[in-house]
Amino acid sequence: NILPSLLTIPGVFIGLWFGSSFESTLPYLLAIAAGIFLYISASDLIPEIHHSTGHKNVAIAVVPFVSAIIFMYVLLGLAH
């Protein structure tokens, strides 16, 4: 527990340093990350996706993932 706690402060400074270099692509990266988190939460809320998704039913998993990314991109555009 001590090691992750000690790495928090250097992680903040590294994140700030890298964040300034990715400033132009940051909205897109945030939209993708938010879409992934939305997909993860939706797939945990709908357990049928875990049971019925196979190679035949790829659209059941891909469509919510892509729609979540698009949804977050639209929300990001409305916020700015």
Side-chain angles (χ1 to χ4, degrees):
N1 285 337
I2 293 172
L3 184 61
S5 298
L6 292 175
L7 292 176
T8 302
I9 302 299
V12 168
F13 290 118
I14 291 171
L16 286 172
W17 182 63
F18 277 124
S20 64
S21 63
F22 291 114
E23 197 167 322
S24 63
T25 59
L26 190 60
Y28 304 109
L29 295 174
L30 288 175
I32 291 171
I36 290 171
F37 281 117
L38 280 175
Y39 170 74
I40 290 170
S41 64
S43 68
D44 284 341
L45 292 174
I46 306 170
E48 293 87 27
I49 289 177
H50 291 295
H51 298 294
S52 66
T53 303
H55 293 291
K56 299 175 194 170
N57 299 325
V58 173
I60 293 173
V62 172
V63 170
F65 173 71
V66 172
S67 62
I69 290 174
I70 292 170
F71 179 71
M72 291 310 297
Y73 181 73
V74 169
L75 283 180
L76 185 66
L78 291 174
H80 284 60

